[in-house]
Amino acid sequence: MRKWLRLGACLVLSASAGWAVNWAAYKPEGFVSDFAKVIDPESKTRLERYAAEVQRAAGVQMAFVTIPSLEGEPIEDVANTIARAWGVGQKGGNEGLLLLLSIQDRRSRLEIGYGLEPILPDGLSGSVLRQMRPALRQQQYGQALIAAAQTVGETVAKAKNVSITETLPRRIPRTSTDWIPWPLIIGAFFLFAWLMRSGRPRGYSGNRGWRGSGLLPGLILGNLMNRGTWGSRGSGGFGGYDSSDGGFGGFGGGDFGGGGASSDW
């Protein structure tokens, strides 16, 4: 009887091993590997450009990865397996990082290479992941990664005393109360009415003598109402990603020891 139980247990374990995902077999698509297909093209282009610039200026390689699901595995194991299999960071320097998003599990992981652990300690990594939560909860995955990339890039650049010339304009996720600034609109209306009234000469019922005094209130109100990007930072056009212009040429063989942080949203 025990012999059959042992045989059954071995068969179950073998089947489970066969079902497990071979994360090491995943191949990088660039600095950004969007296996879950959730990053908008504009954000992906910006991330590719920014990661290439960070590599050029600071020698640090960044990998951004999305997957549909962890398939029941711990995100720490998945992120470490992919980062080590790809060798993110230069061999010997080990200055690489991998930011992983598991969409269905709503889990995130920032895996830090050996060489970057003094610059990006676990506490800072956790702060980066918390900074991403508002955008992730609104399914703005590209903007979430841009926010993280900018924070990490600026931190690395400051520590290494280098300049990152590429910029990452980002939109601040808006809450439901940010869509229409009613208090400002109402206040502007009363300001407009008061300025119009105060500009009219006393005892004068016509409008020819004070028509020009409405110019200033009109300009003020118009300026307030034309600031159409409430809760956002404007961004200009962005050119396409050119891999031949200092772009992705493969990772360099860096190693990881499990440093970093995990979170959810």
Side-chain angles (χ1 to χ4, degrees), residues 72-222:
E73 298 186 43
I75 194 169
E76 294 81 8
D77 293 349
V78 175
N80 188 266
T81 297
I82 295 175
R84 298 187 73 179
W86 290 1
V88 184
Q90 300 300 331
K91 187 174 183 179
N94 301 319
E95 293 187 329
L97 63 93
L98 182 141
L99 179 50
L100 174 66
L101 299 181
S102 178
I103 305 305
Q104 295 177 19
D105 303 286
R106 300 172 69 90
R107 294 279 290 164
S108 57
R109 170 71 181 177
L110 183 55
E111 192 76 13
I112 304 298
Y114 283 119
L116 285 180
E117 289 180 1
I119 299 175
L120 300 170
D122 294 353
L124 178 59
S125 297
S127 177
V128 170
L129 297 181
R130 289 190 294 272
Q131 180 186 12
M132 298 170 62
R133 283 177 181 167
L136 290 173
R137 288 170 179 170
Q138 295 184 28
Q139 298 182 357
Q140 296 183 14
Y141 303 107
Q143 289 301 310
L145 293 174
I146 283 175
Q150 187 174 53
T151 300
V152 170
E154 290 174 351
T155 301
V156 168
K158 183 177 180 180
K160 291 178 170 287
N161 196 28
V162 297
S163 297
I164 306 297
T165 58
E166 201 70 44
T167 60
L168 276 178
R170 50 178 170 153
R171 296 182 295 273
I172 302 172
R174 292 183 276 191
T175 62
S176 59
T177 57
D178 289 331
W179 292 104
I180 302 177
W182 288 114
L184 186 59
I185 292 175
I186 294 172
F189 174 79
F190 282 109
L191 175 63
F192 177 78
W194 178 80
L195 289 171
M196 291 290 291
R197 185 178 182 85
S198 63
R200 179 184 301 185
R202 293 185 179 180
Y204 186 68
S205 58
N207 59 14
R208 292 182 58 188
W210 60 276
R211 183 178 299 169
S213 64
L215 178 61
L216 178 59
L219 289 174
I220 294 174
L221 182 61

Side-chain angles (χ1 to χ4, degrees), residues 22-35 37 44 63-67 81-88 98 248 250-251:
N22 183 9
W23 301 107
Y26 278 53
K27 301 301 180 184
E29 300 174 342
F31 293 111
V32 182
S33 299
D34 184 22
F35 300 120
K37 306 302 179 186
K44 186 173 183 179
F64 304 94
V65 184
T66 71
I67 57 175
T81 297
I82 295 175
R84 298 187 73 179
W86 290 1
V88 184
L98 182 141
F248 182 72
F251 296 115

